[in-house]
Tab-separated table of all heavy atoms in Angstrom:
chain	number	residue	atom	x	y	z
A	26	GLY	N	160.937	214.109	210.295
A	26	GLY	CA	161.515	213.101	209.430
A	26	GLY	C	161.363	213.364	207.955
A	26	GLY	O	162.193	212.930	207.146
A	27	ASN	N	160.300	214.095	207.577
A	27	ASN	CA	160.011	214.260	206.154
A	27	ASN	C	159.614	215.683	205.771
A	27	ASN	O	159.102	215.906	204.674
A	27	ASN	CB	158.898	213.293	205.748
A	27	ASN	CG	159.255	211.851	206.035
A	27	ASN	OD1	160.030	211.239	205.323
A	27	ASN	ND2	158.700	211.296	207.108
A	28	GLY	N	159.823	216.600	206.682
A	28	GLY	CA	159.484	217.983	206.391
A	28	GLY	C	158.002	218.256	206.302
A	28	GLY	O	157.577	219.288	205.787
A	29	GLY	N	157.191	217.307	206.799
A	29	GLY	CA	155.739	217.494	206.803
A	29	GLY	C	155.077	217.282	205.463
A	29	GLY	O	153.917	217.662	205.266
A	30	LYS	N	155.779	216.651	204.508
A	30	LYS	CA	155.258	216.531	203.148
A	30	LYS	C	153.970	215.719	203.058
A	30	LYS	O	153.174	215.920	202.138
A	30	LYS	CB	156.328	215.917	202.247
A	30	LYS	CG	157.537	216.821	202.052
A	30	LYS	CD	158.588	216.147	201.183
A	30	LYS	CE	159.818	217.038	201.034
A	30	LYS	NZ	160.876	216.368	200.225
A	31	ALA	N	153.753	214.804	203.989
A	31	ALA	CA	152.536	213.980	203.949
A	31	ALA	C	151.293	214.806	204.256
A	31	ALA	O	150.174	214.408	203.897
A	31	ALA	CB	152.647	212.825	204.935
A	32	PHE	N	151.475	215.966	204.908
A	32	PHE	CA	150.339	216.777	205.327
A	32	PHE	C	150.296	218.171	204.704
A	32	PHE	O	149.218	218.733	204.530
A	32	PHE	CB	150.350	216.926	206.847
A	32	PHE	CG	150.187	215.636	207.593
A	32	PHE	CD1	151.183	215.163	208.431
A	32	PHE	CD2	149.038	214.879	207.439
A	32	PHE	CE1	151.029	213.967	209.106
A	32	PHE	CE2	148.875	213.681	208.116
A	32	PHE	CZ	149.877	213.216	208.950
A	33	MET	N	151.420	218.721	204.363
A	33	MET	CA	151.500	220.112	203.922
A	33	MET	C	150.574	220.409	202.741
A	33	MET	O	150.568	219.687	201.741
A	33	MET	CB	152.943	220.438	203.539
A	33	MET	CG	153.214	221.907	203.324
A	33	MET	SD	154.946	222.211	202.828
A	33	MET	CE	155.832	221.555	204.247
A	34	PHE	N	149.768	221.457	202.893
A	34	PHE	CA	148.834	221.961	201.882
A	34	PHE	C	147.642	221.032	201.626
A	34	PHE	O	146.812	221.330	200.765
A	34	PHE	CB	149.543	222.268	200.562
A	34	PHE	CG	150.686	223.225	200.707
A	34	PHE	CD1	151.965	222.875	200.302
A	34	PHE	CD2	150.491	224.474	201.272
A	34	PHE	CE1	153.022	223.754	200.437
A	34	PHE	CE2	151.550	225.360	201.424
A	34	PHE	CZ	152.818	224.996	201.004
A	35	LYS	N	147.540	219.942	202.356
A	35	LYS	CA	146.396	219.048	202.200
A	35	LYS	C	145.302	219.447	203.201
A	35	LYS	O	145.589	219.703	204.369
A	35	LYS	CB	146.812	217.596	202.439
A	35	LYS	CG	147.817	217.069	201.430
A	35	LYS	CD	148.179	215.627	201.730
A	35	LYS	CE	149.214	215.082	200.751
A	35	LYS	NZ	149.573	213.670	201.058
A	36	PRO	N	144.053	219.507	202.785
A	36	PRO	CA	142.977	219.940	203.676
A	36	PRO	C	142.694	218.932	204.778
A	36	PRO	O	142.828	217.722	204.580
A	36	PRO	CB	141.776	220.076	202.737
A	36	PRO	CG	142.076	219.153	201.605
A	36	PRO	CD	143.557	219.198	201.431
A	37	ALA	N	142.314	219.447	205.932
A	37	ALA	CA	142.023	218.594	207.080
A	37	ALA	C	140.837	219.139	207.862
A	37	ALA	O	140.528	220.326	207.799
A	37	ALA	CB	143.244	218.486	207.998
A	38	ALA	N	140.193	218.252	208.585
A	38	ALA	CA	139.040	218.650	209.407
A	38	ALA	C	139.002	217.790	210.660
A	38	ALA	O	139.521	216.667	210.685
A	38	ALA	CB	137.744	218.509	208.625
A	39	THR	N	138.366	218.314	211.684
A	39	THR	CA	138.190	217.611	212.950
A	39	THR	C	136.721	217.285	213.147
A	39	THR	O	135.853	218.117	212.869
A	39	THR	CB	138.670	218.489	214.123
A	39	THR	OG1	140.041	218.825	213.930
A	39	THR	CG2	138.509	217.770	215.450
A	40	VAL	N	136.444	216.077	213.633
A	40	VAL	CA	135.095	215.675	214.024
A	40	VAL	C	135.142	215.244	215.485
A	40	VAL	O	136.004	214.456	215.880
A	40	VAL	CB	134.576	214.524	213.136
A	40	VAL	CG1	133.354	213.866	213.759
A	40	VAL	CG2	134.242	215.042	211.748
A	41	VAL	N	134.218	215.787	216.277
A	41	VAL	CA	134.199	215.523	217.719
A	41	VAL	C	132.843	214.961	218.123
A	41	VAL	O	131.806	215.447	217.669
A	41	VAL	CB	134.487	216.820	218.505
A	41	VAL	CG1	134.431	216.562	220.002
A	41	VAL	CG2	135.849	217.398	218.123
A	42	SER	N	132.853	213.949	218.965
A	42	SER	CA	131.602	213.402	219.499
A	42	SER	C	131.621	213.475	221.020
A	42	SER	O	132.670	213.303	221.648
A	42	SER	CB	131.408	211.947	219.046
A	42	SER	OG	132.386	211.102	219.612
A	43	ALA	N	130.457	213.752	221.581
A	43	ALA	CA	130.364	213.882	223.036
A	43	ALA	C	128.943	213.588	223.499
A	43	ALA	O	127.987	213.721	222.734
A	43	ALA	CB	130.750	215.293	223.481
A	44	ARG	N	128.838	213.222	224.757
A	44	ARG	CA	127.512	213.082	225.346
A	44	ARG	C	126.859	214.443	225.502
A	44	ARG	O	125.685	214.625	225.188
A	44	ARG	CB	127.611	212.389	226.724
A	44	ARG	CG	126.255	212.246	227.444
A	44	ARG	CD	126.444	211.766	228.872
A	44	ARG	NE	127.125	212.759	229.694
A	44	ARG	CZ	126.512	213.774	230.296
A	44	ARG	NH1	125.195	213.951	230.157
A	44	ARG	NH2	127.190	214.628	231.032
A	45	ARG	N	127.680	215.429	225.944
A	45	ARG	CA	127.074	216.723	226.242
A	45	ARG	C	128.001	217.909	225.950
A	45	ARG	O	127.720	218.719	225.082
A	45	ARG	CB	126.608	216.757	227.705
A	45	ARG	CG	125.794	217.993	228.074
A	45	ARG	CD	125.193	217.849	229.463
A	45	ARG	NE	124.439	219.024	229.848
A	45	ARG	CZ	123.158	219.229	229.553
A	45	ARG	NH1	122.511	218.316	228.839
A	45	ARG	NH2	122.540	220.313	229.949
A	46	ALA	N	129.133	218.013	226.657
A	46	ALA	CA	129.957	219.223	226.565
A	46	ALA	C	131.427	218.873	226.343
A	46	ALA	O	131.812	217.713	226.287
A	46	ALA	CB	129.800	220.071	227.821
A	47	GLY	N	132.245	219.928	226.224
A	47	GLY	CA	133.679	219.758	226.000
A	47	GLY	C	134.068	219.688	224.544
A	47	GLY	O	135.236	219.526	224.207
A	48	THR	N	133.076	219.833	223.663
A	48	THR	CA	133.325	219.650	222.237
A	48	THR	C	134.182	220.761	221.631
A	48	THR	O	135.106	220.484	220.858
A	48	THR	CB	131.990	219.578	221.476
A	48	THR	OG1	131.152	220.661	221.910
A	48	THR	CG2	131.288	218.263	221.732
A	49	THR	N	133.880	222.011	221.950
A	49	THR	CA	134.604	223.097	221.293
A	49	THR	C	136.063	223.153	221.753
A	49	THR	O	136.951	223.487	220.967
A	49	THR	CB	133.923	224.458	221.544
A	49	THR	OG1	133.732	224.658	222.953
A	49	THR	CG2	132.573	224.514	220.836
A	50	ALA	N	136.325	222.821	223.014
A	50	ALA	CA	137.705	222.782	223.494
A	50	ALA	C	138.492	221.695	222.770
A	50	ALA	O	139.643	221.889	222.372
A	50	ALA	CB	137.737	222.536	224.998
A	51	THR	N	137.854	220.556	222.567
A	51	THR	CA	138.495	219.453	221.847
A	51	THR	C	138.700	219.807	220.387
A	51	THR	O	139.747	219.501	219.794
A	51	THR	CB	137.628	218.185	221.971
A	51	THR	OG1	137.394	217.910	223.350
A	51	THR	CG2	138.308	216.995	221.329
A	52	PHE	N	137.715	220.446	219.807
A	52	PHE	CA	137.782	220.902	218.414
A	52	PHE	C	138.988	221.816	218.212
A	52	PHE	O	139.770	221.648	217.266
A	52	PHE	CB	136.475	221.627	218.089
A	52	PHE	CG	136.285	221.995	216.647
A	52	PHE	CD1	136.126	221.019	215.672
A	52	PHE	CD2	136.231	223.322	216.257
A	52	PHE	CE1	135.929	221.358	214.337
A	52	PHE	CE2	136.023	223.671	214.929
A	52	PHE	CZ	135.876	222.680	213.968
A	53	ASP	N	139.159	222.781	219.114
A	53	ASP	CA	140.291	223.706	219.029
A	53	ASP	C	141.621	222.969	219.188
A	53	ASP	O	142.599	223.274	218.500
A	53	ASP	CB	140.180	224.788	220.104
A	53	ASP	CG	139.039	225.757	219.860
A	53	ASP	OD1	138.548	225.806	218.714
A	53	ASP	OD2	138.637	226.444	220.806
A	54	GLN	N	141.653	222.011	220.096
A	54	GLN	CA	142.882	221.265	220.353
A	54	GLN	C	143.383	220.562	219.094
A	54	GLN	O	144.551	220.692	218.716
A	54	GLN	CB	142.647	220.223	221.451
A	54	GLN	CG	143.829	219.297	221.700
A	54	GLN	CD	143.456	218.088	222.558
A	54	GLN	OE1	142.351	218.024	223.114
A	54	GLN	NE2	144.364	217.145	222.663
A	55	ILE	N	142.522	219.828	218.434
A	55	ILE	CA	142.936	219.054	217.270
A	55	ILE	C	143.244	219.953	216.072
A	55	ILE	O	144.178	219.702	215.302
A	55	ILE	CB	141.861	218.012	216.897
A	55	ILE	CG1	141.627	217.053	218.073
A	55	ILE	CG2	142.293	217.224	215.663
A	55	ILE	CD1	142.842	216.238	218.469
A	56	ASN	N	142.491	221.036	215.919
A	56	ASN	CA	142.727	221.933	214.786
A	56	ASN	C	144.125	222.549	214.802
A	56	ASN	O	144.654	222.934	213.746
A	56	ASN	CB	141.685	223.059	214.770
A	56	ASN	CG	140.356	222.607	214.211
A	56	ASN	OD1	140.253	221.556	213.604
A	56	ASN	ND2	139.328	223.409	214.424
A	57	LYS	N	144.745	222.639	215.961
A	57	LYS	CA	146.079	223.251	216.052
A	57	LYS	C	147.135	222.441	215.314
A	57	LYS	O	148.137	222.984	214.847
A	57	LYS	CB	146.465	223.453	217.514
A	57	LYS	CG	145.669	224.560	218.207
A	57	LYS	CD	146.117	224.758	219.642
A	57	LYS	CE	145.415	225.959	220.272
A	57	LYS	NZ	143.966	225.760	220.439
A	58	TYR	N	146.940	221.146	215.201
A	58	TYR	CA	147.903	220.331	214.457
A	58	TYR	C	147.941	220.733	212.982
A	58	TYR	O	148.986	220.672	212.340
A	58	TYR	CB	147.541	218.840	214.566
A	58	TYR	CG	147.720	218.261	215.942
A	58	TYR	CD1	146.640	218.156	216.820
A	58	TYR	CD2	148.967	217.810	216.374
A	58	TYR	CE1	146.795	217.614	218.090
A	58	TYR	CE2	149.133	217.269	217.644
A	58	TYR	CZ	148.045	217.174	218.498
A	58	TYR	OH	148.195	216.647	219.759
A	59	TYR	N	146.806	221.140	212.458
A	59	TYR	CA	146.740	221.493	211.040
A	59	TYR	C	147.384	222.845	210.767
A	59	TYR	O	148.130	223.002	209.794
A	59	TYR	CB	145.292	221.527	210.546
A	59	TYR	CG	144.409	220.413	211.029
A	59	TYR	CD1	143.062	220.637	211.313
A	59	TYR	CD2	144.910	219.116	211.201
A	59	TYR	CE1	142.235	219.612	211.744
A	59	TYR	CE2	144.087	218.088	211.647
A	59	TYR	CZ	142.750	218.356	211.918
A	59	TYR	OH	141.942	217.348	212.355
A	60	SER	N	147.068	223.823	211.595
A	60	SER	CA	147.541	225.180	211.318
A	60	SER	C	149.059	225.276	211.400
A	60	SER	O	149.678	226.059	210.675
A	60	SER	CB	146.880	226.191	212.267
A	60	SER	OG	147.153	225.874	213.616
A	61	ILE	N	149.675	224.468	212.263
A	61	ILE	CA	151.135	224.501	212.363
A	61	ILE	C	151.783	223.700	211.241
A	61	ILE	O	152.987	223.775	211.006
A	61	ILE	CB	151.600	223.969	213.740
A	61	ILE	CG1	153.012	224.470	214.071
A	61	ILE	CG2	151.539	222.447	213.807
A	61	ILE	CD1	153.469	224.156	215.479
A	62	SER	N	150.958	222.916	210.518
A	62	SER	CA	151.471	222.054	209.451
A	62	SER	C	151.107	222.575	208.059
A	62	SER	O	151.220	221.849	207.079
A	62	SER	CB	150.922	220.630	209.615
A	62	SER	OG	151.258	220.114	210.881
């Protein structure tokens, strides 16, 4: 809708919380939204 202007070139980070495991897989999942944007 907007060519990604709301996100383009703006820094982003992911924060993940867990009882025990699955954190790095989740971390990788969310980070992909930034790299494509």
Side-chain angles (χ1 to χ4, degrees):
N27 302 284
K30 293 178 182 178
F32 297 118
M33 191 181 300
F34 304 123
K35 296 180 181 180
T39 302
V40 165
V41 178
S42 66
R44 178 189 67 84
R45 188 171 179 86
T48 48
T49 53
T51 305
F52 188 67
D53 291 342
Q54 174 193 351
I55 300 298
N56 281 346
K57 289 182 174 67
Y58 292 97
Y59 318 144
S60 59
I61 201 172
S62 303

